Structure formats: structure tokens, C-alpha cells
Amino acid sequence: QQQIQQQLTPTKINPNNSLLLSSSLSTTTSNSKEFDSSLIILALITLRTFNFDQYLLLSFVQFTIMGYLDHEDPEIRKESAITCCKLLPCFDISLEFISIGHSGFVLNKVLEKLLIIGIADLDFSVRFSTLNSLDSRFDEFLCQASSIRTLFVGLNDEKYEIRELCIEII
């Protein structure tokens, strides 16, 4: 009974132990952030394994997945870039589609953001994965003058692999 009463009575916080309390809280918070990050990464990987060829998911990509391109965790940025490329329309993207209507505007915006991430992200693995995911489906977009200018900036990257990918894309 005494053990139960001790467990039920609130404990007094000793000011000398406040450092211990704050460090244990920060450990719990960092563990939950790692847990959340791993769940987000798993969700992004799982999402791109499904076959969505018959569906146009531009709005979903724009409003949901693109938000993770600015995440603080580089692994999440990398996985979201790969997922964006995978979920974009699988039909050949023509210049007419890019320049016409709301869907063209959204597609242009998503591809522009992916190209900027592929060139300017601080993490090498994010840049490499993003540029590597821009396959031949996106050639019509990548041959535009603004995209070529951005790719020429990538030719000055510190990593050889990024420069090589930029040359391959150009």
C-alpha cells in the first residue's frame, strides 16, 4: 500500500534536478521527432510503390508532398523529391500541357521546385536523388530556357556526380 501511495502522490521538483528533468524532456522530444521522421519517410516510400498511372495527382503532389521538400530533415527532403517525380503524370509531358491551364501551371511549379532542390539543396544525397529522378518524361520541361539556365548553375557543383547528372540532363 505504501508503494501505491508513493506512486500516486505528486513528487516535488527539486530545483537542483531541473537540469535532469529538462534533459529527459528534450530526449523524449528528439525521440518523437526521429519517430515522426521515420513515419514520414515510410509513408513517402509506401506512397510511391502504388500504381497511380490512371490518376492525375498534381494537386495532391502540390499541396501534400511538396511541403516536405522544405523539411529540415534531409532524408525527408530526398524521399519527397523522389515521390514527387514518381507521382507526376506518367504520360509524356508536352509543352502544350505545361503551358495550358491550371494543371500545366501546377506541373510547371512542381517541376521548377524539384529542379531548384536538385541544384541548390545543401545535402548532396538530396541533390543527387532529385536530379536522378528527373527522367526522360520531363525532357519537354527541362529543355526550356529557364531550366537549362538552372542546370548550367549545377555544372558548378562541388560534387562531380551532380555535375555529371546536369550534363546528362542537358
Side-chain angles (χ1 to χ4, degrees):
Q1 285 181 343
Q2 288 178 342
Q3 288 177 345
I4 294 172
Q5 286 178 344
Q6 287 176 347
Q7 288 176 351
L8 294 176
T9 56
T11 58
K12 294 181 183 176
I13 297 177
N14 184 351
N16 297 329
N17 291 337
S18 63
L19 182 62
L20 178 65
L21 179 65
S22 66
S23 69
S24 69
L25 287 176
S26 67
T27 303
T28 305
T29 306
S30 80
N31 285 342
S32 70
K33 282 184 182 179
E34 289 173 14
F35 182 71
D36 290 344
S37 293
S38 64
L39 278 178
I40 292 169
I41 291 167
L42 179 64
L44 290 168
I45 291 170
T46 304
L47 185 62
R48 70 174 178 251
T49 61
F50 289 102
N51 184 9
F52 291 114
D53 289 346
Q54 299 174 351
Y55 304 100
L56 189 60
L57 300 173
L58 283 174
S59 295
F60 177 73
V61 169
Q62 179 190 19
F63 294 117
T64 306
I65 300 172
M66 269 185 66
Y68 292 111
L69 291 174
D70 296 324
H71 198 274
E72 63 186 19
D73 186 356
E75 193 66 28
I76 290 177
R77 291 195 308 267
K78 179 177 96 171
E79 296 301 333
S80 65
I82 296 169
T83 303
C84 278
C85 290
K86 174 72 175 153
L87 293 182
L88 286 177
C90 286
F91 51 85
D92 290 330
I93 299 168
S94 65
L95 283 174
E96 294 95 29
F97 185 79
I98 290 174
S99 61
I100 296 176
H102 179 69
S103 295
F105 174 75
V106 171
L107 181 62
N108 198 16
K109 185 176 174 182
V110 171
L111 288 173
E112 225 172 73
K113 178 75 173 177
L114 286 170
L115 192 57
I116 289 169
I117 293 290
I119 299 299
D121 196 274
L122 296 175
D123 191 79
F124 164 73
S125 67
V126 175
R127 293 192 314 268
F128 183 81
S129 298
T130 303
L131 289 175
N132 202 31
S133 296
L134 293 173
D135 56 20
S136 62
R137 292 180 297 141
F138 307 113
D139 284 349
E140 293 288 331
F141 168 77
L142 295 171
C143 73
Q144 295 179 21
S146 61
S147 299
I148 299 244
R149 263 184 293 216
T150 306
L151 287 167
F152 274 121
V153 170
L155 292 177
N156 296 318
D157 196 275
E158 62 189 30
K159 298 286 187 177
Y160 173 76
E161 293 87 353
I162 301 297
R163 295 191 302 249
E164 184 180 19
L165 278 173
C166 288
I167 289 172
E168 284 178 21
I169 292 171
I170 291 172

